[in-house]
Amino acid sequence: MRLRALLDTDALGLKLLGGEDELDRTVRGVMTTDLRDPSRYLSGGELVLTGLAWRRDADDSEAFVRILAQAGVVALAAGEAELGDIPDDLVVACARHRLPLFAVHESVAFATITEHVVRQVSGERAGDLAAVVDRHRRMMTSGPAGGGPDVVLDLLGSDLDLRAWVLSPAGRLIAGPKVAGPGLPADTCAELAAEHLAAARTGRRGPHRATLGAATYSLFPIRSSGHRPTAGAGRSAQASRDVRETVLSDWLLAVEADAGDWPAERLDLLQGVTQLISVERDRRDAARTVRRRLAQEVLELVQTGAAPAEIAARLRVAAPVLLPGLGAAPHWQVVVARVEWEGGDIEAGPVAQSLLEEILVDPLATGPEPSDRIAVAHTGDEAIALVPLPAVSTEHDGSESGILADALLESVREPLSAGLDGDGQVTLGVSAAVHSAEGLRGALEEARHARRVAAARPGRVCAAGHQELASHVLLLPFVPDDVRRAFTARLLDPLRDYDRRHRAELIPTLEAFLDCDGSWTRCATRLHLHVNTLRYRVGRIEQLTSRDLSRLEDKLDFFLALRMS
């Protein structure tokens, strides 16, 4: 479509501020950004929409417009909601670089312009995707009449013979074609997400190619068309385009095909599909606003020491929102997540919030939004989830139901480790379930403490649950490495050397003896030994280490040494 056609559509609310001679330029796409340097996301031919959050003074306009012009952008549309009238310095800069400039009335959402441009451009490029664009509004609706991104994926299959799926960065299947055919296994989703995140960390522009077994996939990034977390006032332009700010929160489109030999027209069509799905992502994010606010309100009450009755009242408000139709009051769990990077001033709180929402989505939940079951707030670099659980008939500590740290870790370790790429860490802490407002403060502290235990462990993605906080093993991660090495070497090296020289089994014997609480009979039975043979081995252990395994102190030292090794 041509720029001139945008002015002919009254619903877009565009006013031309400069560039009348350039209105015959062809628009090939649309992008929304408030980054000071969005060049890595531009391929040329875009209409760029901006809320001007990148502008701090008049000099910023010249630098921003110069970057757009060099990238081949066809026009700039600036929203009036942030600053009111468009600044004169931006008008002058656009005129200097011959970049047409539009003003967007504050009553018009950028999503409206994005939808219109994508509809028009896609329709002009190829008729085989016209059905996708024509049914865009159906994708945006909820309830039985709507299909969300599944509708678009079905049409990709019927019109282009392409099987495609939308995945989260944690490897969760967000949407897939509803037509008959094999689905995408969970392990394949995780592997594709890992491939995508690893490629994204290199800075290469998508689509990325991945081969799993006999199948080849092309992975297209799906970036939100709305506002993303942006740099603070004191941060540089380089920091504002750090890929780590979004790599753990952007969705991806996995297409079972090799896009390497596709013509430009087909690649453009798939890029248009990602833009359509990004609008759906924005809609889902907007739907989470109420739940995020509820979590923030409860969190503030808990942290400021509000009366349990006040917290309980807020929880009663949250329960029907998170679990519609539930008659009884639920139990609650708290999950804390933190994303930390080595070097760089990166605002990790919003990314941790988005990531935790994706990780905690209940795949068995019914209704249009499976994410309706959680509420996540963030404070600083930490995200905190308030997770309701169905009420239970008897009291228990939550160890047999609800969220388990090991299960969370298993489901996200592979893809997230690829996205962290050796310079970041994601840590999760999970509390026990509590059944009242009085227990919520303790659950929050429990989850935070469990996360600190996870952070002390090796690995890029770590989690710890409340069960681990009840053990003396809790202290082990906080022992300095040099102290660990010296302590374990002093106790265990003599036994290891003896085992190596004589092919003995003193270390396994010691472990079994401690596991059996020093019971000679049970230990001998477990090791299939005569009791006299066991007594000989234990005697040799005591002789080599100058310790006495009948003493509690020496038993505990051996136990800790084995754990720390």
Side-chain angles (χ1 to χ4, degrees), residues 366-518:
T366 58
E369 296 291 351
S371 57
D372 280 345
R373 300 302 190 263
I374 54 175
V376 185
H378 76 84
T379 172
D381 289 339
E382 183 181 68
I384 301 168
L386 188 64
V387 183
L389 303 173
V392 295
S393 57
T394 58
E395 296 286 337
H396 61 77
D397 64 1
S399 60
E400 297 179 358
S401 64
I403 297 170
L404 299 177
D406 290 344
L408 282 184
L409 185 62
E410 184 63 29
S411 65
V412 301
R413 180 191 283 118
E414 179 185 356
L416 295 187
S417 295
L420 295 165
D421 192 32
D423 66 345
Q425 186 182 41
V426 172
T427 51
L428 302 165
V430 182
S431 79
V434 296
H435 60 87
S436 66
E438 289 87 346
L440 208 53
R441 179 190 296 274
L444 175 58
E445 291 306 314
E446 191 173 57
R448 281 176 165 164
H449 201 50
R451 192 208 63 78
R452 288 193 290 270
V453 171
R457 293 172 173 167
R460 291 295 170 184
V461 184
C462 301
H466 63 92
Q467 300 93 338
E468 300 174 63
L469 305 186
S471 171
H472 51 275
V473 181
L474 167 67
L475 302 176
L476 298 186
F478 303 100
V479 177
D481 288 343
D482 55 345
V483 176
R484 286 188 186 210
R485 287 191 293 269
F487 182 75
T488 57
R490 185 168 64 252
L491 278 178
L492 301 183
D493 279 1
L495 306 183
R496 290 173 178 144
D497 291 341
Y498 188 89
D499 282 348
R500 187 165 48 251
R501 291 197 312 269
H502 301 281
R503 297 185 179 180
E505 296 184 347
L506 297 187
I507 291 288
T509 300
L510 175 62
E511 291 176 331
F513 187 72
L514 295 174
D515 284 344
C516 293
D517 298 324

Side-chain angles (χ1 to χ4, degrees), residues 58 163 170 172 193 210 225 227 254 310 317 325 329 386 405 442 459-460 488 535:
R163 299 177 68 227
R172 179 175 68 88
S225 63
H227 297 294
E310 186 177 359
V317 173
L386 188 64
R460 291 295 170 184
T488 57
R535 290 186 184 277

Side-chain angles (χ1 to χ4, degrees), residues 204-227:
R204 291 188 287 114
R205 184 175 295 171
H208 309 301
R209 186 176 183 272
T211 301
L212 302 182
T216 299
Y217 300 86
S218 296
L219 311 176
F220 294 79
I222 299 174
R223 299 185 176 93
S224 172
S225 63
H227 297 294

Side-chain angles (χ1 to χ4, degrees), residues 78-102:
E80 296 178 336
E82 182 76 16
L83 301 178
D85 293 337
I86 305 303
D88 291 339
D89 48 87
L90 183 60
V91 177
V92 171
C94 287
R96 182 180 299 115
H97 292 277
R98 300 178 62 84
L99 185 68
L101 175 63
F102 298 95

Side-chain angles (χ1 to χ4, degrees), residues 138-201:
R138 180 184 173 192
M139 184 192 78
M140 295 293 294
T141 62
S142 59
D150 297 326
V151 173
V152 179
L153 302 181
D154 281 342
L155 290 172
L156 278 177
S158 61
D159 293 0
L160 298 183
D161 196 26
L162 292 175
R163 299 177 68 227
W165 301 265
V166 179
L167 308 177
S168 80
R172 179 175 68 88
L173 180 62
I174 295 171
K178 293 185 178 300
V179 295
L184 201 61
D187 57 345
T188 302
C189 292
E191 291 183 58
L192 290 175
E195 292 279 351
H196 171 73
L197 290 175
R201 285 302 309 273

Side-chain angles (χ1 to χ4, degrees), residues 275-287:
Q275 291 182 351
L276 294 181
I277 297 174
S278 74
V279 176
E280 167 68 6
R281 169 70 185 272
D282 289 341
R283 187 187 69 79
R284 293 193 181 190
D285 280 346

